[in-house]
Amino acid sequence: MAELASLFNLVAPFFGLIVLGFAVGRYKRLPEEGLAWMQYFLIYIALPALFYRLIADKPLSELSNWGFVGATTLATFCVFSLSFLIGLKSTHGHMPQAVMQAVAGSYSNIGYMGPPLILAALGPVASAPVALIFVFDNILLFSLVPFLMALAGVEKKGFLATSGEVLWKVVTHPFNLATLAGVIASYTKLELPTALDKMTLWLSQAAAPCALFLLGVTVALRPMKSMPAEVPALVAVKLILHPLLVWVLLSALGNFTDPWVYAAVIMAALPPALNIFVISTQYKVGVERASACILVGTIVSMVTLTGFLWLVKTGRMAADLFP
């Protein structure tokens, strides 16, 4: 009973903020344009501060664990590919729709929900694997999507132009810039002035509640009109297959410490990211399907994510499947 109470106290604030945002967005008729400032604050200020602080005090040896990066990124690529095939079948070969479904089945809420939840569950020792997964999953997905969309004819650009645009977006993404700044701070053992250090601390603490509230509001403003047939399969891939595949690959490909394995499993078990809706809106493809995946995935993850956290916190999931 004590374990269940502890687990409830861990996850309830996260889903509670999403529900609060959903309730406010559903019943308080405020213009959607007002979300733009909160989105800007999150993407360009609060979350970069969080990622900077995640890694600035970590030794570089922790940030160059390429076996870990390879295993977790491979797992994300595998579920992306499987979700892409599910999308092709369900849309009768409509490639742009299939790309969006591939993102829905593989892109975890690793920016808004991942860091605060995993640090609360596992402690500061999990910050390095969280940062690595965030950076390399984003590089993978933000590289695959533009190339596949160009191949499908949605992006009217050549290979070199698309390559240059992808590289520029990856290099200049505020999260990646913050990560790079953190790596430099780690290497130089930089200590911020007291005032600036306190500012970045406050901003990093604001990131999670603002992001989760925004997620709830955004879902509320785009109600699901119907359940696309492929959504249950995509949600199962995202919430069940993805974390299990991460667990298997990390066990098979390396000898990693328990917090790193558990952090990776929980990151993979997170619900679909809000960015799926942003990407679908950008390409004007599969907006309704994106909304459905986010809504259903977030609801179902209340059970599946809590289940994985329970397995981790109670020690019922061994960190190494093949001891």
Side-chain angles (χ1 to χ4, degrees):
M1 186 62 68
E3 289 177 349
L4 292 177
S6 175
L7 188 59
F8 175 81
N9 290 331
L10 175 64
V11 300
F14 292 89
F15 288 113
L17 284 169
I18 296 173
V19 172
L20 179 62
F22 182 88
V24 172
R26 186 72 177 83
Y27 296 108
K28 187 67 176 178
R29 303 298 181 182
L30 294 176
E32 185 177 348
E33 292 76 14
L35 295 178
W37 279 110
M38 181 176 279
Q39 291 170 340
Y40 188 91
F41 170 75
L42 279 170
I43 294 173
Y44 289 93
I45 300 174
L47 285 168
L50 173 62
F51 277 93
Y52 173 85
R53 293 187 68 91
L54 277 178
I55 62 176
D57 61 347
K58 299 295 177 296
L60 285 181
S61 59
E62 289 190 17
L63 302 174
S64 57
N65 195 329
W66 301 116
F68 179 84
V69 169
T72 54
T73 308
L74 175 60
T76 301
F77 176 77
C78 288
V79 294
F80 180 96
S81 301
L82 176 59
S83 301
F84 180 72
L85 293 176
I86 292 172
L88 282 178
K89 182 177 180 181
S90 63
T91 61
H92 307 289
H94 191 277
M95 188 170 173
Q97 290 273 19
V99 174
M100 290 299 99
Q101 288 157 320
V103 177
S106 60
Y107 197 178
S108 298
N109 199 331
I110 52 178
Y112 288 4
M113 196 173 183
L117 175 62
I118 292 168
L119 293 180
L122 302 177
V125 69
S127 57
V130 165
L132 288 174
I133 291 171
F134 177 85
V135 170
F136 286 95
D137 269 17
N138 272 321
I139 289 174
L140 174 70
L141 293 167
F142 284 120
S143 300
L144 284 173
V145 171
F147 280 121
L148 289 173
M149 284 303 192
L151 189 62
V154 175
E155 288 273 20
K156 308 299 182 182
K157 299 176 182 177
F159 178 80
L160 289 178
T162 301
S163 300
E165 183 174 317
V166 169
L167 180 61
W168 178 251
K169 285 182 177 179
V170 168
V171 170
T172 59
H173 193 287
F175 296 170
N176 292 338
L177 288 175
T179 301
L180 177 61
V183 170
I184 294 173
S186 172
Y187 177 74
T188 60
K189 295 180 172 55
L190 174 68
E191 292 187 10
L192 295 176
T194 301
L196 189 56
D197 182 66
K198 184 169 288 189
M199 281 184 62
T200 60
L201 175 62
W202 286 353
L203 289 170
S204 66
Q205 291 172 337
C210 289
L212 296 172
F213 182 84
L214 176 63
L215 173 59
V217 173
T218 304
V219 172
L221 294 178
R222 299 175 180 87
M224 183 175 62
K225 298 177 182 178
S226 62
M227 171 75 80
E230 72 280 2
V231 167
L234 294 174
V235 169
V237 169
K238 177 74 226 54
L239 300 180
I240 300 174
L241 181 59
H242 192 184
L244 291 178
L245 183 58
V246 165
W247 183 39
V248 171
L249 287 177
L250 286 174
S251 297
L253 299 180
N255 183 23
F256 305 103
T257 62
D258 292 6
W260 282 61
V261 174
Y262 292 144
V265 169
I266 297 171
M267 286 282 270
L270 293 169
L274 182 60
N275 282 356
I276 298 165
F277 179 83
V278 176
I279 296 170
S280 65
T281 303
Q282 174 188 347
Y283 289 107
K284 299 180 175 63
V285 173
V287 175
E288 185 176 339
R289 282 183 164 91
S291 298
C293 283
I294 294 170
L295 176 58
V296 176
T298 300
I299 293 172
V300 174
S301 72
M302 293 182 185
V303 176
T304 56
L305 177 58
T306 302
F308 277 106
L309 282 166
W310 178 77
L311 291 173
V312 167
K313 296 290 285 182
T314 60
R316 287 171 170 82
M317 172 179 276
D320 189 350
L321 183 60
F322 311 114

